[in-house]
């Protein structure tokens, strides 16, 4: 589709520009991670991409090296035990996601799209099949992220992702990006550890926040 070709071009151009303009910040974060904790600067994790192909997502490491693998942080019973000091700041500001600009340039991801599921989030992956979500590139940010993020149950995430796929457009992407900035500033929807979920009425398919 033409829209996805335009998205791909804009993804590559914008990602290169972001990497150039934010290079000073990336260098600063790298230095802080190395100084404050043991372990590598970057964290690689197996995620599900377009057509359910697996790829390694790249993030700044925000957790200690003895953290359990492949468990979403919001499901950890005691996340503060594992998150590093600088990691708390990076996670709250979403700066830990910046290395995914490399994933975007490589073609693994898009700037806007459904967030890539962990390889073992089988329930979410299956639900996304119902909405053709697994047929598009996952994103650095997405419609579900600006409507609840970690607070959302998987049924709601899948449905919101489906809405994005159904109505995808450059204007919709801009709307997502603008709302992403607001969410980052307000630190909205960021939950560390096990928490309750927003309400969701299965009989009507509606949700509230």
């Amino acid at each position: 589709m033409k829209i996805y070709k335009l998205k791909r071009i804009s993804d590559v151009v914008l990602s290169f520009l972001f990497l150039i303009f934010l290079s000073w910040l990336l260098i600063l974060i790298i230095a802080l991670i190395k100084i404050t904790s043991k372990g590598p600067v970057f964290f690689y994790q197996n995620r599900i991409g377009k057509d359910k192909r697996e790829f390694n997502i790249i993030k700044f490491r925000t957790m200690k090296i003895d953290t359990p693998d492949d468990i979403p942080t919001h499901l950890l019973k005691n996340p503060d035990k594992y998150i590093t000091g600088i990691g708390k700041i990076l996670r709250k500001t979403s700066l830990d996601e910046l290395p995914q600009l490399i994933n975007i340039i490589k073609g693994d991801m898009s700037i806007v799209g459904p967030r890539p599921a962990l390889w073992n989030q089988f329930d979410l992956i299956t639900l996304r099949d119902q909405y053709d979500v697994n047929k598009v590139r996952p994103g650095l940010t997405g419609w579900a992220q600006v409507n609840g993020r970690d607070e959302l149950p998987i049924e709601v995430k899948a449905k919101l992702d489906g809405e994005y796929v159904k109505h995808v457009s450059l204007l919709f992407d801009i709307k997502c990006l603008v709302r992403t900035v607001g969410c980052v500033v307000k630190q909205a929807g960021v939950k560390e550890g096990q928490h309750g979920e927003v309400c969701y009425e299965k009989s009507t398919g509606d949700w509230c926040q």
Side-chain angles (χ1 to χ4, degrees):
M1 293 175 62
K2 185 177 180 180
I3 180 62
Y4 288 107
K5 291 182 179 179
L6 290 174
K7 275 175 62 68
R8 180 62 189 148
I9 294 171
S10 62
D11 283 341
V12 173
V13 172
L14 289 175
S15 295
F16 269 117
L17 290 176
F18 283 139
L19 283 174
I20 292 171
F21 290 126
L22 296 176
S23 58
W24 65 272
L25 180 59
L26 298 174
I27 293 172
L28 176 61
I29 293 173
I30 289 171
L32 289 173
I33 293 173
K34 290 299 292 183
I35 292 171
T36 58
S37 64
K38 296 180 180 180
V41 170
F42 298 106
F43 171 70
Y44 300 87
Q45 193 174 54
N46 201 10
R47 296 290 182 111
I48 301 298
K50 182 181 177 183
D51 299 322
K52 292 195 273 192
R53 294 194 184 101
E54 296 183 6
F55 72 97
N56 284 322
I57 199 172
I58 311 170
K59 293 187 177 187
F60 282 123
R61 181 177 58 82
T62 60
M63 308 191 82
K64 299 175 182 177
I65 56 177
D66 61 345
T67 304
D69 292 334
D70 296 325
I71 298 178
T73 312
H74 64 280
L75 295 181
L76 289 172
K77 292 183 178 180
N78 186 16
D80 289 334
K81 175 182 177 182
Y82 301 105
I83 301 175
T84 64
I86 187 65
K88 292 179 181 179
I89 298 173
L90 295 178
R91 296 175 74 87
K92 286 185 176 180
T93 57
S94 294
L95 291 174
D96 61 316
E97 311 283 0
L98 285 179
Q100 288 162 50
L101 292 170
I102 298 172
N103 284 121
I104 295 171
I105 293 172
K106 289 173 59 182
D108 299 326
M109 297 174 60
S110 181
I111 292 177
V112 180
R115 281 296 293 168
L118 282 165
W119 66 271
N120 57 0
Q121 287 182 295
F122 305 115
D123 46 1
L124 177 59
I125 296 167
T126 299
L127 282 170
R128 282 178 165 180
D129 276 333
Q130 299 176 18
Y131 302 103
D132 293 330
V133 175
N134 293 316
K135 294 181 179 180
V136 303
R137 283 189 180 93
L140 181 63
T141 186
W143 190 231
Q145 275 56 53
V146 299
N147 281 283
R149 196 172 174 176
D150 294 336
E151 295 178 331
L152 298 174
I154 62 168
E155 295 95 337
V156 178
K157 284 184 180 180
K159 190 166 185 176
L160 285 168
D161 290 335
E163 287 183 8
Y164 172 79
V165 173
K166 184 177 180 180
H167 303 290
V168 62
S169 69
L170 292 181
L171 286 177
F172 199 175
D173 280 8
I174 292 173
K175 182 178 180 179
C176 287
L177 288 172
V178 171
R179 292 187 62 169
T180 296
V181 173
C183 288
V184 170
V185 171
K186 297 176 182 178
Q187 298 178 8
V190 179
K191 297 294 181 183
E192 307 289 11
Q194 295 185 0
H195 294 268
E197 300 173 336
V198 295
C199 58
Y200 178 68
E201 180 55 58
K202 292 184 178 180
S203 61
T204 61
D206 295 326
W207 60 87
C208 60
Q209 293 178 292

